[in-house]
Amino acid sequence: MLRRRALPFGGVAAALTEDDLTGISSDAISSDDPRPFIDQLVAAVDEDRLAEPDLASYALGLAADLADGLHDGELALTLSERSLEATRGLDDEHWTRARHAELLLRFGREDEGMRELHALRPQLTRDEMASLYVTEALTENGRAELAEEWLTSALTTAADIVERAGTGREADEVRAVENALAVKRFHVRRDLGLPHDEIDRIAEQLDEENPDHVFWPEKAHATLLEAQPDAAEELGATWDEHRAIIERDLQASDPTDLPYVEIGTPDLLTALLGDDEDAVPPPGPELEWPPGRNDPCWCGSGAKYKKCCLPRGRA
């Protein structure tokens, strides 16, 4: 069912905020037919009914994601191209371009997709986020080996820049990029089953921290709150709130210093609820984030990430 929007005097629809757009997308995901919601998002742009002009790219990007879910490549690419055009000169331009490249590759326009990614490749040594958005576009389309090659090359270049810069702001900024590249390269190489090298050993140390969050699967979350109701303030009163807290923190964090999220195990739950205060269960596995937009969501719901917890972090 479409969300009903309040109308001010005169009958003109209220301008849509980012939360409104996210709500429309969430409604679409849970509906049997997302096409009316796609039309609603596009109409908000075409009719200039957005609270801020910069939201046009976001609205069109959401619509492109919904069309992608319908496997309508022509519509998804048309909307994605409009989203890219709307974001030119804005902070999200490179991320939007990488998403467009990912769709081009997925729907068979490989030459165009790779041209877009080659244009973005220099950002790997300039933008801390580039190791995420460039790598995701490649790995989502079966090019993990190429991603590893690009990350390795970018690391060499970044190290040379740091050495020439010596000390100061420029060196610190590139060093942060270098760390992001090393950590992402470590994840890609691990997924490819490649043996650790010296860079991987350093990156693994950067990646290992005490958990900032413990993610509890749905049944464990309910059991924990039943036994310890006061924990709802920290963990979220519902499982949806619990997942949203974690996703928002991950999205808002520096990509070189992401929160360490441990997955709560039955042993950890037993230790928390038991009487033995000295019990120290082995740590649970670390939550891998972010998954690809079309991969199963990290929360274990079975839905795609882009249709499950990704929009929770934007709500």
Side-chain angles (χ1 to χ4, degrees), residues 216 265-276 279 281:
W216 295 102
T265 62
D267 287 343
L268 178 58
L269 183 63
T270 299
L272 285 174
L273 300 182
D275 296 327
D276 185 359

Side-chain angles (χ1 to χ4, degrees), residues 10 21 24 61 66 74 94 148 174 181 195 197 220 222 232 240 261 314:
L21 297 174
I24 292 171
L66 294 172
E74 183 177 356
H94 292 140
E148 194 272 342
V174 180
L181 288 166
D197 59 14
D240 282 351
V261 182
R314 298 171 174 169

Side-chain angles (χ1 to χ4, degrees), residues 45-125:
V45 177
D46 292 342
E47 297 169 11
D48 196 21
R49 291 191 288 105
L50 298 173
E52 302 173 34
D54 290 357
L55 290 175
S57 176
Y58 182 52
L60 292 166
L62 290 174
D65 286 344
L66 294 172
D68 179 24
L70 291 172
H71 306 292
D72 188 335
E74 183 177 356
L75 179 58
L77 286 169
T78 297
L79 293 170
S80 178
E81 190 167 354
R82 288 191 61 188
S83 176
L84 178 57
E85 186 63 33
T87 199
R88 292 192 189 280
L90 302 179
D91 291 341
D92 290 340
E93 179 178 355
H94 292 140
W95 193 289
T96 306
R97 183 176 295 279
R99 182 181 62 186
H100 184 59
E102 181 185 333
L103 289 174
L104 286 167
L105 293 174
R106 182 151 60 251
F107 289 110
R109 290 164 58 176
E110 297 190 2
D111 290 345
E112 295 173 74
M114 288 307 301
R115 276 200 299 272
E116 294 284 2
L117 290 177
H118 276 287
L120 286 172
R121 186 176 177 181
Q123 297 301 318
L124 286 169
T125 57

